[in-house]
Amino acid sequence: MKEENRKSRASGLGNTFRQLFMGANNVHTSVMDEEQMQSPFRTIVRNFLDNKIAMTGLIVFLFILLSSFVLAAIFNLDTSFQDVTQQNISPGFNMLSVPNSLKKNARQIDVGATYSIGVDDEGKVYLWGKMDQKLKQIPADMGKIAQVSAGQNHVLALSEDNKVYTWGNNRFTLDKVPSEVNRLGKIKQVEAGYQVSVVLSEDGKMVSWGNENLLDISLKEYQGTIDKLVSNGTTVLGLTKSGEVVAMSTKPSPFTRVPEEIQGRVVDLESADTAAIALTDDGAIHVWGNAQYGLNVLPEELKGKKIKDIAAGRYHFVAVTDEGKVYSWGRNNYHQADVPNSLDKTKTAVVYAGTYQNYAVDENGKVTTWGLSGYLMGTDGLGRDVFSRLVTGGRMTLTIGAIAVIISTLIGIIVGGFSGYYGGKIDNLLMRFAEIVGSIPFLPLAMILSALLGNKVSELGRISMIMVILGVLSWPGLARLVRGQILAEREKEFVTAAKAMGIRELTIIFRHIIPNVLTVVIVNATLNFASALLTESALSFLGFGVVEPNPTWGNMLTGSQSSTVISDYWWRWVFPSIALSFATISINLIGDGLRDAIDPKSAER
């Protein structure tokens, strides 16, 4: 009997729930009767779905929400990453866009920081990638070019008639070839480095110009002995005619500690930014310098194989075996170490590598590329990907706003519930307290706390402080709204019946009255969410919220205040502004749609 009563009560509760939220679909009624018996929840949902503007706002917000959390997990942001070679690059994916006329007859390719340059079999020069106008101005009277070299933002070219040309960056006299170059005789190599240029003759003599203090080049000691030059951002290495590696620097560095066992046996040499790689006469490769990113750990498949060509990027190495198979290792943040499977079907003759780009040329001159092709939303002033920071910053901004709204909503419901139900002195006391809290300005208070605490709290502590302060100071409006609703609800018959049954007052407030005003609370919380996003972004924009290197939409805009950024690097402020604007507008549209769905007559007022 008890079991039957329990099942009967459960069935009754289930029917009540279905009628309240799903309507009475199991009852055979006419269309008019079913319309009258429609549950309040279903009516609200139907009214909201019929509102096209609100639905548009919901779709946009869901897209932003999913992008901020799902994409942020996929594109895991390294907040410590910076790269001066990738500063202020515009959106686009043309860094690996080899011109069609060069794809099948490439003689040589060299890679700069954000661009590449190549020469075909007929001596014609090609440029592609991200570059300024000065780099695009290729001299028209160079004739047939035999060799090219790409620096940070300048180019050297050697013509077939032994003349050297340069263009691009005009700082440190890099745009002018010294007269000493003309007296070198037959030129073997041109090398454009980071703010420096070096020319090497057939008899091992060298001439350098540019910002030589930066690289601390010492050429006098090695004049007449060098057979090949390689450079990076800190030094220039030379391979002598006797097969030894020398660092042309007077300062000790990882590059100056060349392994003794390879001296006199080196046939090729390349250099990354933190380590160097040498190919010896037995086909083996040797790495020394800083072992960062596993540069000194050769792939297992490469061990024991004979190497015929090597190349180096900024933080990665590439090697080609005598069988024409390509291997790459080192840092892989832009997939520069992921060799394409298509190269397994071809026999690679030579490989060229630069900052984050790679080019493999087969025996027929066909070019295959892999590595960094560009950035969806460009980079900022520190060379960081704007897209990755935008989605990660969106996750931070939305999380702070959501938690702040949850805190304010809970406080507002509790204070408003007690104030509206009990009335009298309790109501008067709580509402006066709400007025005091509502009069406290958030931004000045947060600035003062931030200035007082300074670096005394961790970044997590600062973020937590922002969420708590936002929530604690933004509940008075909701509390007054809940109070007004409960003042009307507490006089209804179901409250009187609950009191007569001896139900506790807390249960009456939070289990019987609050659910009846919950829809109004949801609307208010939705609108408060948009306000919290704007407040957090404003605080971060002013430098008192989340600070670098952790991104938010607000502090991404902080670095975009100068006229130069606004006019020349528009992507740094346009995309965060669009994301913040779309998020707040869509949330407001959702809130307005919910308000109209709950109270259709509100649109007429």
Side-chain angles (χ1 to χ4, degrees), residues 464-538:
S464 302
M465 180 183 70
I466 294 171
M467 292 187 293
V468 171
I469 295 175
L470 262 174
V472 168
L473 295 185
S474 56
W475 58 265
L478 177 60
R480 285 191 290 268
L481 180 63
V482 171
R483 170 184 174 272
Q485 293 291 319
I486 290 181
L487 284 174
E489 293 289 327
R490 72 177 184 176
E491 303 300 331
K492 292 184 178 180
E493 290 81 357
F494 73 92
V495 176
T496 304
K499 290 179 179 179
M501 294 174 64
I503 297 176
R504 292 187 307 166
E505 291 180 333
L506 288 178
T507 304
I508 295 174
I509 295 172
F510 295 108
R511 292 191 61 183
H512 295 277
I513 300 179
I514 292 297
N516 286 284
V517 301
L518 198 58
T519 51
V520 180
V521 173
I522 292 172
V523 174
N524 185 269
T526 304
L527 298 175
N528 282 344
F529 187 24
S531 300
L533 295 185
L534 290 173
T535 305
E536 184 282 324
S537 297

Side-chain angles (χ1 to χ4, degrees), residues 106-109 308-311 320 324 326 347-352 359-363 366 368 370:
R107 177 195 295 180
Q108 186 220 344
I109 295 174
K308 69 174 182 179
D309 190 35
I310 55 175
V320 183
V326 181
K347 189 173 182 180
T348 300
V350 63
V351 66
Y352 302 99
Y359 301 88
V361 183
D362 64 15
E363 295 174 336
K366 184 180 178 182
T368 302
W370 73 97

Side-chain angles (χ1 to χ4, degrees), residues 117-358:
I117 186 169
V119 182
D120 63 14
D121 292 333
E122 298 177 356
K124 185 178 179 181
V125 176
Y126 300 84
L127 271 170
W128 63 94
K130 299 292 183 181
M131 67 197 85
D132 57 24
Q133 291 299 321
K134 293 178 181 178
L135 273 176
K136 294 179 181 179
Q137 297 171 0
I138 302 175
D141 55 347
M142 294 190 299
K144 291 185 177 182
I145 297 300
Q147 186 184 143
V148 290
S149 181
Q152 169 73 11
N153 48 17
H154 76 287
V155 171
L156 282 176
L158 175 64
S159 67
E160 291 184 353
D161 58 0
N162 203 50
K163 289 192 66 176
V164 177
Y165 298 88
T166 184
W167 69 94
N169 183 11
N170 58 7
R171 297 178 61 196
F172 309 110
T173 67
L174 285 172
D175 58 333
K176 296 179 178 62
V177 179
S179 58
E180 294 91 330
V181 173
N182 298 326
R183 297 192 291 269
L184 281 177
K186 182 64 177 177
I187 295 173
K188 181 177 183 179
Q189 181 190 356
V190 291
E191 176 69 14
Y194 183 75
Q195 298 182 357
V196 69
S197 296
V198 188
V199 175
L200 174 68
S201 68
E202 289 281 2
D203 58 3
K205 294 182 179 179
M206 299 167 286
V207 173
S208 67
W209 68 99
N211 188 8
E212 298 183 22
N213 291 328
L214 178 67
L215 297 179
D216 191 27
I217 299 175
S218 176
L219 302 180
K220 295 179 181 180
E221 184 179 351
Y222 304 106
Q223 288 288 6
T225 65
I226 301 299
D227 189 57
K228 181 182 178 180
L229 294 167
V230 295
S231 65
N232 56 33
T234 58
T235 190
V236 174
L237 295 178
L239 174 60
T240 67
K241 295 179 180 181
S242 60
E244 295 185 354
V245 178
V246 294
M248 299 180 188
S249 173
T250 58
K251 297 179 181 178
S253 70
F255 298 99
T256 62
R257 296 189 287 272
V258 183
E260 287 295 331
E261 62 271 18
I262 70 171
Q263 293 291 34
R265 301 172 47 228
V266 179
V267 295
D268 198 4
L269 177 68
E270 293 292 341
S271 176
D273 267 26
T274 59
I277 183 171
L279 176 63
T280 52
D281 50 13
D282 59 353
I285 51 179
H286 305 266
V287 177
W288 70 95
N290 192 328
Q292 194 177 18
Y293 308 121
L295 287 172
N296 62 336
V297 181
L298 303 183
E300 288 294 330
E301 303 88 349
L302 193 61
K303 293 179 179 179
K305 293 190 176 181
K306 192 172 183 179
I307 308 301
K308 69 174 182 179
D309 190 35
I310 55 175
R314 186 163 170 79
Y315 301 114
H316 74 286
F317 290 134
V318 187
V320 183
T321 67
D322 58 353
E323 299 173 346
K325 193 168 183 180
V326 181
Y327 297 88
S328 184
W329 67 100
R331 190 168 193 180
N332 197 32
N333 55 327
Y334 294 119
H335 303 288
Q336 64 268 31
D338 292 334
V339 179
N341 294 329
S342 59
L343 287 179
D344 293 337
K345 302 176 182 179
T346 61
K347 189 173 182 180
T348 300
V350 63
V351 66
Y352 302 99
T355 308
Y356 299 116
Q357 293 80 29
N358 304 279

Side-chain angles (χ1 to χ4, degrees), residues 536-579:
E536 184 282 324
S537 297
L539 197 62
S540 296
F541 176 76
L542 294 172
F544 296 96
V546 180
V547 296
E548 295 278 5
N550 293 309
T552 68
W553 291 338
N555 66 23
M556 287 181 71
L557 293 171
T558 303
S560 306
Q561 300 179 66
S562 70
S563 58
T564 302
V565 172
I566 292 173
S567 60
D568 296 340
Y569 311 126
W570 54 269
W571 56 90
R572 289 177 52 182
W573 60 269
V574 165
F575 293 118
S577 300
I578 290 175

Side-chain angles (χ1 to χ4, degrees), residues 442-459 461-463 465-466 469 539-540 542-547:
F442 170 74
L443 285 176
L445 176 63
M447 291 179 184
I448 292 170
L449 288 176
S450 179
L452 290 175
L453 295 175
N455 297 324
K456 296 178 182 178
V457 295
S458 63
E459 186 64 20
R462 181 188 292 269
I463 295 170
M465 180 183 70
I466 294 171
I469 295 175
L539 197 62
S540 296
L542 294 172
F544 296 96
V546 180
V547 296

